[in-house]
């Protein structure tokens, strides 16, 4: 069965993005981070996106924005699946190598994990990945924590609305002396009897 990695960027206070006052990396990308990201995307993977994140990334692709980094260029060239109940088959899929799989994300990803001959990875797509975590389909949560606090400008709480999880630390790495990558195996937390 293929492994599934939920890959997400975060501020120290847990936000996945901020107002346009900040850039996509909060202005903290360094050569080590970008090289490591390029290595992560050097192997063949199937990218899985929810519709909102897919539309955002495909918009970047069409405008030529944010695809100057090796890892985003490699991600752009990979096979991609957008999982949605709301997108219609007539909606354009402008990002190359994209297939629309209509239906419930839990059912679609469970099938993809059984059928794929390469690992699955999702960058962003918070709501979809929260549901996949709760269903036990996420093998790894890879959080890259940038050294910023966005208490006023932060948007998209990375785990806001997710269930409770226990996390087993699999890997930790410091990049450029300031950015932390943490990789965890998540397990749905069972509350103690009351």
């Amino acid at each position: 069965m293929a492994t599934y990695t939920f890959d997400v960027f975060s501020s120290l206070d847990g936000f996945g993005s901020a107002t346009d006052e900040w850039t996509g990396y909060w202005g903290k990308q360094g050569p080590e981070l970008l090289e490591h990201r390029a290595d992560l995307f050097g192997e063949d993977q199937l990218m899985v996106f929810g519709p909102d994140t897919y539309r955002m990334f495909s918009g970047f692709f069409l405008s030529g924005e944010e695809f100057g980094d090796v890892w985003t260029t490699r991600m752009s060239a990979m096979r991609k699946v957008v999982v949605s109940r709301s997108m219609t088959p007539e909606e354009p899929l402008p990002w190359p190598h994209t297939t629309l799989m209509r239906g419930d994300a839990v059912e679609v990803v469970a099938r993809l994990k059984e059928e794929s001959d390469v690992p699955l990875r999702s960058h962003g797509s918070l709501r979809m990945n929260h549901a996949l975590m709760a269903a036990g389909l996420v093998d790894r949560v890879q959080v890259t924590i940038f050294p910023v606090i966005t208490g006023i400008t932060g948007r998209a709480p990375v785990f806001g609305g997710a269930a409770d999880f226990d996390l087993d630390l699999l890997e930790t790495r410091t990049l450029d002396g300031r950015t932390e990558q943490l990789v965890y195996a998540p397990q749905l937390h069972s509350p103690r009897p009351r």
Side-chain angles (χ1 to χ4, degrees), residues 12-194:
L12 180 62
D13 53 342
F15 291 99
S17 64
T19 62
D20 59 7
E21 181 176 318
W22 300 87
T23 67
Y25 301 101
W26 292 274
K28 306 297 183 189
Q29 70 273 27
E32 193 175 4
L33 169 79
L34 295 176
E35 182 179 326
H36 177 64
R37 295 294 296 176
D39 289 346
L40 287 173
F41 285 80
E43 66 179 52
D44 191 22
Q45 300 171 76
L46 177 62
M47 298 302 299
V48 181
F49 296 100
D52 293 339
T53 301
Y54 176 80
R55 288 180 186 118
M56 178 187 72
F57 274 120
S58 64
F60 292 151
F61 172 78
L62 288 173
S63 70
E65 291 179 47
E66 302 232 0
F67 282 88
D69 296 331
V70 172
W71 78 271
T72 54
T73 301
R74 287 179 177 171
M75 178 174 66
S76 188
M78 289 179 175
R79 291 179 298 141
K80 292 170 277 303
V81 169
V82 57
V83 181
S84 176
R85 287 186 278 213
S86 61
M87 289 176 75
T88 66
E90 295 79 33
E91 185 168 340
L93 300 172
W95 205 7
H97 316 293
T98 301
T99 302
L100 171 63
M101 296 188 79
R102 297 200 50 182
D104 178 74
V106 169
E107 294 171 8
V108 169
V109 170
R111 189 169 65 248
L112 286 172
K113 285 186 67 155
E114 288 182 13
E115 297 171 356
S116 181
D117 58 349
V118 297
L120 309 175
R121 178 178 289 270
S122 182
H123 184 69
S125 301
L126 301 180
R127 286 185 311 239
M128 178 187 76
N129 281 302
H130 295 168
L132 297 175
M133 287 174 64
L137 294 172
V138 174
D139 301 293
R140 293 182 182 97
V141 176
Q142 179 180 315
V143 183
T144 304
I145 302 172
F146 289 85
V148 296
I149 294 174
T150 55
I152 295 172
T153 58
R155 293 185 178 164
V158 172
F159 296 106
D164 291 347
F165 294 90
D166 293 304
L167 302 172
D168 290 326
L169 184 63
L170 302 176
E171 178 186 332
T172 181
R173 182 183 294 227
T174 302
L175 301 160
D176 301 305
R178 63 183 177 206
T179 300
E180 291 296 322
Q181 178 189 277
L182 305 169
V183 180
Y184 293 102
Q187 184 174 349
L188 194 61
H189 179 74
S190 300
R192 58 186 165 94
R194 300 192 187 263

